[in-house]
Amino acid sequence: MKKLQPTRMCISCRSRHPQNTLIRLKYEGNEVIAFDGKGRSFYLCDVCGTNEKKIKGLVKRFKQDA
């Protein structure tokens, strides 16, 4: 039997993609950093990672400086 690939949801656009195609990040302190295996994390798709409007929304959501 072939195993199904896990799907995850992009935090910005709410679309579902295979887990290996998404970028996994986490919010620690006042920074958004790459996930290191500890704590809670979120996924971001490639389209939202390059879209200026989506990045501005994430900056506002996490209260970051541009």
Side-chain angles (χ1 to χ4, degrees):
M1 290 190 86
K2 189 175 183 179
K3 286 188 176 182
L4 294 177
Q5 194 171 21
T7 57
R8 300 291 184 256
M9 186 168 37
C10 173
I11 193 173
S12 182
C13 64
R14 301 287 193 200
S15 62
R16 295 186 184 273
H17 300 281
Q19 183 178 5
N20 63 354
T21 62
L22 297 172
I23 303 165
R24 192 171 184 183
L25 302 168
K26 79 175 193 174
Y27 182 68
E28 184 175 286
N30 292 332
E31 298 179 348
V32 176
I33 57 173
F35 183 66
D36 60 359
K38 297 178 184 174
R40 296 186 62 140
S41 64
F42 60 91
Y43 292 92
L44 192 65
C45 68
D46 293 332
V47 175
C48 294
T50 58
N51 188 342
E52 287 292 323
K53 189 174 181 181
K54 299 280 186 170
I55 291 173
K56 281 186 179 182
L58 290 173
V59 166
K60 188 174 181 180
R61 181 182 291 177
F62 290 117
K63 298 175 180 76
Q64 297 283 307
D65 293 330

